[in-house]
Amino acid sequence: MKSEFVEQTHKWLRLPDDVIAQYNALDTYTTARLVPVLEGLLASNKQLDFYQRWFREMAPVVDRMQARGVGVLDVEAQRTYKVALRKELDEVEEPVLAAVPFFRELETEVHTWYADTLREHPTWVKKAKKGYDSRLKKVRKRRSGFFNRAGGGGSTDLSKLLFDHLGLKAAPKTLDRPARSTSGEALVYVLQHLRVKDEPHRWVLENLLHRARLSTILTRYMVVDCDRDGRVRPLIKLGGTETLRLAYAGDKGEAIQQWPQEARHVIKAWDGCLYLARDYSAIEARLIAILSQDTAMLEVFAAGGDVHKQNAIDLGLASAGTWDAMDPGVRSATRNFAKTFLYGLSYGGSPETMKTKLYCTCPRCRDKVPQTLALGRDDIRRAADQWSKKHEPILQWRAALVETVKGPRGDHTWTSPFGYRRFFLEPRSQAERSIYNFPLQHCASQIINHAMVSLDAAGLPLVLQMHDELMAEVPVERVAYWEGAMRETMEAKVPELGGWSFPTEGARGRHWGEVK
C-alpha cells in the first residue's frame, strides 16, 4: 500500500522516500551489529586501544568542523569567475577549432550535396532543405563536441587533427595509455618531444592543456552546494584514508581538498572573521630524513636550509654557486623537479619510470601553477645515480623496511612510532609502493591530527584539514592570539619521533584563496 507520507521519490532508485528510509535503517542496524565483531578483530590484532583512543579524540573535533563548514559561498564572486572561465575557454577553443580542416570539408560536402540535389530535382525544395538542415546539424554537433569527444582512444577527431593533419608524433603506447592517446599525460609527452618541424604547432598543444585545466575548474569545482545559511559544508570522512588523514566525500565541488588555488576565492569567512591557515613545511621530506637517519638531509633541516634546493644540487641540476644567478622561472622549475623526485622515490617510484607532475605548461599558467623540468628517462637516471651517492641511508631504509614487512622473518605488518599497526597482505611486488609510502603519510597524519585535537580543546574554530594544512575561521580581534597559538601547538616537539619539531608557515585572509 502506498504511504500517505511520501512527498518525493529518490532520483535514481525511483523508490519512495519512506522505503529508502527503511533500507537506510536496515543498513544502520546491520552496521551496529558488526561493531562487536570488528572490535574483536581489532583486539586480536592489538589495535583496539589505538583505534578507541584515535576515535575518542578525533570524532568530536570532526563533528564540530562538520557543523561549521568551510565557509560562506560568495555567490557574486562565483558568478563572475564562471563568466570569466567561459570567456577564456572560448578564446582557447576557437583557434583550435579553426585549425580543424575536416569540419570545413564536411560543411562543404553538405553545401555541395544540397546544390546538386536541387539541380537534379528542382521540385524537391522542402525535402532537400530538410536533408540539408539534418546533415549540417550533425556536422555542427560533431564540431561542438570536439573537445568532449577527445578521449584516450585513437579514433577521435582530436587525434585525427594532431596526428594525421598536423603530423605530430604520438606518445608511445603503454599499459596505461593506448596508441594515439589524447589524454593529458600523452599531450604533455608530445609537447615535451616536439621535433623542430613541429614547433609551429606548439600553440595547439598548449591551448589543449590550458583548456583541460579551465574546463576542470568550471565543471568540477564551480559546482558548489551550500546550505540555507550560505555555508559550504562538504562531508568529512573521519576514516576516509588508510593513513588516518581526514578526507572529504563527493565528486565535483564537495571534494574540497582537490580545489586549485585560483578557484578558492569563491569561499569566504563570516563577516567580522578571517581565515588563519598554517601549513607544515616539507613535513614528508623531514619525516623520511628522520626515519632513515639521512645525515645530509638532517643537517640541512637543522641549519634551517631549503632541502629541495639542496636536493636539486645533489641531483646535479644546479650548483650552490650558480643557484641564485639562475633565471627565477628555471630555478623554480628545478626546485619543483627535485621535490617531485624526492617524494616520488620516497613513495616507491623508480628513477627509470619517474613521472614529473603534470601541470599546464602554457605561458598563461606560469604564474598560476608550479612548473617543473622536462627531463628524459636517461637524464633522470643519471641524476638519480648522483643523488644516491649522497643519500644512501634513504635507499637502505627503503630496503630494510620492505624486508621487515615482507622478508623471511616479516609478519606482513609495520608498527608506526605512534602505535598503529598496519597489515600489508598483498604479494611483495604489489605491496612495496604502499610500504614505502605509508610510514610518511601516516606519521604526517598523526602529527597534524594531534595538533587538531589540542587546538580544538583550546577553543580554536577549525574549518578545514587539507593535506598538511590546518585552517580556522576566527574573529578579527582574536587573530593575533590564534596565530601564536596555532604556531606553538603545531610546532611542538613530537616525542614519538625523537623530539623533533616540524616548522610551519602561516597566512591569513578574508577569502580561502588568500591563505596559501
Side-chain angles (χ1 to χ4, degrees):
M1 183 177 68
K2 189 174 181 180
S3 171
E4 297 178 359
F5 302 100
V6 175
E7 295 183 358
Q8 58 185 9
T9 300
H10 193 277
K11 291 182 179 178
W12 60 270
L13 286 178
R14 297 189 178 181
L15 292 172
D17 282 357
D18 59 339
V19 176
I20 295 294
Q22 293 176 30
Y23 284 119
N24 289 341
L26 180 60
D27 285 344
T28 304
Y29 172 71
T30 304
T31 303
R33 290 188 62 187
L34 287 174
V35 170
V37 179
L38 293 174
E39 288 182 343
L41 290 173
L42 289 171
S44 66
N45 292 322
K46 300 179 181 179
Q47 287 293 283
L48 184 58
D49 290 344
F50 176 89
Y51 269 104
Q52 286 179 332
R53 182 177 69 254
W54 168 76
F55 184 81
R56 183 173 59 249
E57 291 177 347
M58 287 297 295
V61 180
V62 171
D63 284 345
R64 285 186 277 273
M65 285 178 61
Q66 181 71 69
R68 293 187 194 102
V70 175
V72 179
L73 178 62
D74 189 331
V75 178
E76 185 57 36
Q78 181 194 33
R79 183 183 300 112
T80 302
Y81 187 46
K82 289 169 73 173
V83 170
L85 285 172
R86 291 192 182 99
K87 180 181 179 182
E88 191 173 356
L89 269 173
D90 290 340
E91 293 171 352
V92 170
E93 290 178 351
E94 284 303 320
V96 177
L97 287 171
V100 181
F102 39 88
F103 290 138
R104 294 191 298 273
E105 293 169 0
L106 290 172
E107 288 186 357
T108 301
E109 289 177 6
V110 174
H111 296 320
T112 302
W113 173 88
Y114 181 62
D116 291 344
T117 301
L118 287 179
R119 185 174 59 254
E120 295 174 9
H121 306 281
T123 60
W124 289 10
V125 177
K126 289 185 177 180
K127 186 175 182 179
K129 184 63 167 63
K130 184 177 180 180
Y132 171 81
D133 290 342
S134 176
R135 286 170 169 77
L136 195 60
K137 182 178 179 181
K138 289 180 180 179
V139 174
R140 290 175 176 172
K141 183 177 180 181
R142 179 174 171 181
R143 185 181 188 273
S144 65
F146 175 76
F147 296 102
N148 294 333
R149 288 159 54 89
S155 60
T156 66
D157 288 335
L158 180 54
S159 64
K160 184 178 177 182
L161 168 67
L162 296 177
F163 310 126
D164 294 337
H165 177 62
L166 300 181
L168 302 180
K169 187 176 180 180
K173 180 181 179 181
T174 66
L175 291 176
D176 301 326
R177 184 174 60 214
R180 293 166 58 94
S181 172
T182 55
S183 67
E185 180 185 339
L187 293 182
V188 170
Y189 181 94
V190 175
L191 182 64
Q192 292 174 345
H193 294 80
L194 284 180
R195 298 162 295 188
V196 174
K197 67 176 184 178
D198 298 329
E199 281 298 327
H201 307 310
R202 174 182 289 272
W203 71 270
V204 177
L205 294 168
E206 290 179 342
N207 274 31
L208 290 172
L209 290 168
H210 188 63
R211 184 247 170 222
R213 190 174 65 83
L214 294 176
S215 179
T216 299
I217 294 172
L218 182 62
T219 60
R220 187 176 181 87
Y221 304 119
M222 287 298 101
V223 183
V224 188
D225 292 329
C226 62
D227 295 331
R228 291 183 179 181
D229 60 356
R231 298 286 290 187
V232 178
R233 292 183 173 88
L235 180 62
I236 305 173
K237 299 191 291 185
L238 176 57
T241 65
E242 291 180 337
T243 63
L244 303 183
R245 288 179 187 264
L246 298 187
Y248 292 83
D251 299 324
K252 299 189 177 179
E254 291 184 353
I256 206 84
Q257 76 275 18
Q258 299 174 2
W259 277 44
Q261 181 71 24
E262 64 192 278
R264 298 177 188 175
H265 68 281
V266 303
I267 296 180
K268 62 182 181 180
W270 281 125
D271 291 340
C273 293
L274 287 180
Y275 284 129
L276 292 183
R278 294 206 75 84
D279 191 6
Y280 283 102
S281 176
I283 188 171
E284 288 152 352
R286 295 173 190 275
L287 284 168
I288 194 172
I290 293 168
L291 295 174
S292 67
Q293 285 300 291
D294 183 87
T295 304
M297 287 178 63
L298 290 175
E299 288 176 352
V300 173
F301 288 128
D306 181 349
V307 71
H308 300 308
K309 167 188 170 182
Q310 185 59 49
N311 275 321
I313 295 171
D314 295 343
L315 284 162
L317 303 175
S319 68
T322 62
W323 181 263
D324 291 335
M326 292 173 67
D327 175 83
V330 175
R331 184 170 60 237
S332 176
T334 303
R335 185 183 183 279
N336 286 331
F337 179 87
K339 180 178 179 180
T340 300
F341 172 87
L342 176 63
Y343 290 155
L345 193 67
S346 303
Y347 299 161
S350 61
E352 293 80 3
T353 58
M354 194 73 65
K355 294 180 181 178
T356 57
K357 293 182 180 179
L358 298 181
Y359 300 112
C360 180
T361 57
C362 80
R364 307 175 188 87
C365 295
R366 284 175 183 159
D367 296 331
K368 294 182 178 179
V369 295
Q371 302 297 306
T372 187
L373 298 180
L375 299 183
R377 183 175 295 185
D378 291 339
D379 295 325
I380 295 175
R381 186 185 298 112
R382 284 192 292 270
D385 290 342
Q386 180 169 332
W387 181 88
S388 300
K389 294 175 183 178
K390 189 171 181 179
H391 298 279
E392 190 174 347
I394 292 179
L395 304 182
Q396 293 175 343
W397 172 73
R398 280 163 45 105
L401 184 64
V402 173
E403 196 66 20
T404 299
V405 177
K406 289 293 185 180
R409 297 183 181 180
D411 61 354
H412 307 286
T413 70
W414 179 80
T415 302
S416 81
F418 297 89
Y420 178 72
R421 189 179 181 213
R422 163 79 188 275
F423 283 78
F424 299 90
L425 302 179
E426 312 97 317
R428 179 169 179 152
S429 60
Q430 298 177 19
E432 283 189 358
R433 291 181 68 89
S434 296
I435 293 171
Y436 295 140
N437 179 46
F438 184 78
L440 309 181
Q441 297 289 344
H442 172 72
C443 289
S445 78
Q446 293 307 291
I447 292 169
I448 197 167
N449 286 352
H450 288 178
M452 286 179 64
V453 171
S454 298
L455 289 168
D456 177 79
L460 178 66
L462 293 165
V463 295
L464 181 69
Q465 180 206 102
M466 191 172 71
H467 308 307
D468 303 321
E469 178 184 347
L470 288 181
M471 187 169 77
E473 184 181 24
V474 304
V476 173
E477 62 271 15
R478 298 282 286 168
V479 165
Y481 170 79
W482 283 119
E483 277 184 329
M486 288 182 74
R487 179 171 185 173
E488 181 180 356
T489 301
M490 294 176 71
E491 296 185 2
K493 294 181 178 180
V494 181
E496 293 88 350
L497 294 171
W500 279 88
S501 61
F502 296 82
T504 61
E505 297 175 352
R508 63 168 76 173
R510 178 83 171 88
H511 289 77
W512 182 24
E514 298 173 343
V515 294
K516 176 60 176 176

